[in-house]
Amino acid sequence: MNTRQAILLIAAPTLLFGLSACSTPNERVPAQTVTPPPPSATVTFTPSPIPPTFTPRPAACLRQAGKIKQKVISYTNPPQEFLVYTPPCYNEMTALRYPVLYLLHGQTYTQDQWVRLGAPQIADRLIHSGAASPFIIVFPDDHYWNSQPGAGFGERLILDIIPYMDENYRTLADREHRSLGGLSRGGGWTVKLGFEHPELFGALGLHSPAVFKNNAPYVEKIIKEIPEESRPQLWLDVGDADRELPSILLFEEMLTRNNYIHEYHFYSGFHAEDYWGMHVEEYLRWYAQAWQEEPAEQ
């Protein structure tokens, strides 16, 4: 059942009644002995059930905010932290499974960057209004970017965070219902991980991505190795005053040269949170558009 169709069914009591037949008294004839007939049978009629009256009401949880919880995978080195947003009614509608969006933050920031930019509140608003079907968001932490463990973040995301989510949350664990996006350094990770693992992600969002840095040949190589029918959907945006603009323009030319179908959005703005914050709702609408009619029942 789609969560936007969730209703509480309030049934009016069913009225039960019966009807009994009456027997006719025996008639006596003078000077004769008669054997009275057997008494008439008593018959009870059971009417057809009266259909109950239903009053549809929206589930109360659909009007509430989603929940954010801190999580950590302790067996990795270092322990991998991340935040998980679950949509309204996740705890109440336990028969449903949900798409998952992984959003990666920028360099020098932490797992809460997208939360501060308003992603959970915007997701709530889209779900409440029916503009988006409910989905889960994961915000992985990459604050070790400037130390040795930072290089292993991608491996921890692929081998640890995603399996953890699919094992411990009611996810729709296939590429069509799993998307990856990131801003700045997170966008660079999205390029690398999304193109290296197209079997895992159905859509990739690149928001002012920090790309290339002398690895353009490798990026083009892995693009060429993805069969066209297996290429994830792709969104790319950048501001006209973004410091990463020259490399992003080269990257967009590479996509075009290799016939990689993508959405390219060139806006006004800098490489800054003010810019990304202005476009978060647009980003989430794009990710969610492929998931309309979700989540699915188990």
Side-chain angles (χ1 to χ4, degrees), residues 23-41:
S23 300
T24 303
N26 299 325
E27 182 180 358
R28 297 187 63 193
V29 180
Q32 294 185 10
T33 301
V34 294
T35 302
S40 301

Side-chain angles (χ1 to χ4, degrees), residues 173-251:
D174 54 62
R175 74 183 297 269
E176 288 76 17
H177 299 98
R178 185 188 298 116
S179 295
L180 177 66
L183 55 84
S184 191
R185 174 181 168 88
W189 271 119
T190 300
V191 170
K192 174 178 171 57
L193 300 176
F195 289 162
E196 287 181 344
H197 301 279
E199 76 283 0
L200 292 180
F201 305 104
L204 306 174
L206 313 176
H207 314 300
S208 310
V211 292
F212 290 169
K213 307 299 183 187
N214 301 321
N215 63 352
Y218 173 72
V219 173
E220 186 157 22
K221 175 179 180 294
I222 58 177
I223 288 176
K224 290 178 178 294
E225 292 175 351
I226 305 174
E228 288 192 14
E229 65 276 11
S230 300
R231 290 176 172 178
Q233 297 181 53
L234 191 67
W235 165 294
L236 172 64
D237 74 274
V238 65
D240 58 0
D242 194 302
R243 66 172 183 262
E244 300 287 343
L245 181 58
S247 61
I248 290 174
L249 291 176
L250 290 175
F251 175 69

Side-chain angles (χ1 to χ4, degrees), residues 30-226:
Q32 294 185 10
T33 301
V34 294
T35 302
S40 301
T42 300
V43 180
T44 300
F45 296 95
T46 303
S48 299
I50 298 176
T53 301
F54 298 108
T55 304
R57 296 181 182 176
C61 58
L62 289 176
R63 299 188 293 270
Q64 299 172 359
K67 295 178 173 58
I68 301 175
K69 291 187 177 181
Q70 174 71 58
K71 296 292 180 179
V72 61
I73 299 175
S74 58
Y75 57 78
T76 60
N77 184 24
Q80 178 61 58
E81 299 180 35
F82 55 101
L83 297 171
V84 178
Y85 160 88
T86 50
C89 291
Y90 178 85
N91 292 331
E92 290 81 2
M93 297 183 176
T94 57
L96 300 183
R97 290 187 172 274
Y98 298 83
V100 186
L101 169 60
Y102 293 82
L103 288 179
L104 311 182
H105 63 78
Q107 184 170 295
T108 75
Y109 295 99
T110 60
Q111 59 189 338
D112 71 339
Q113 185 176 31
W114 281 98
V115 175
R116 289 188 296 97
L117 293 175
Q121 292 78 13
I122 293 172
D124 284 343
R125 186 164 69 248
L126 295 177
I127 293 168
H128 290 161
S129 68
S133 296
F135 56 97
I136 296 169
I137 311 178
V138 181
F139 306 99
D141 185 83
D142 182 27
H143 75 268
Y144 294 103
W145 63 271
N146 62 342
S147 61
Q148 184 176 358
F153 169 75
E155 182 175 313
R156 294 192 296 274
L157 174 62
I158 298 299
L159 299 181
D160 298 301
I161 298 179
I162 291 177
Y164 177 93
M165 288 300 303
D166 290 341
E167 291 172 8
N168 293 278
Y169 284 81
R170 299 194 311 277
T171 67
L172 290 165
D174 54 62
R175 74 183 297 269
E176 288 76 17
H177 299 98
R178 185 188 298 116
S179 295
L180 177 66
L183 55 84
S184 191
R185 174 181 168 88
W189 271 119
T190 300
V191 170
K192 174 178 171 57
L193 300 176
F195 289 162
E196 287 181 344
H197 301 279
E199 76 283 0
L200 292 180
F201 305 104
L204 306 174
L206 313 176
H207 314 300
S208 310
V211 292
F212 290 169
K213 307 299 183 187
N214 301 321
N215 63 352
Y218 173 72
V219 173
E220 186 157 22
K221 175 179 180 294
I222 58 177
I223 288 176
K224 290 178 178 294
E225 292 175 351
I226 305 174

Side-chain angles (χ1 to χ4, degrees), residues 277-298:
M278 290 174 57
H279 298 284
V280 172
E281 180 167 340
E282 189 177 6
Y283 300 159
L284 294 189
R285 285 181 179 272
W286 181 79
Y287 289 116
Q289 67 182 356
W291 300 330
Q292 291 300 90
E293 304 305 325
E294 305 295 350
E297 293 188 9
Q298 296 185 24

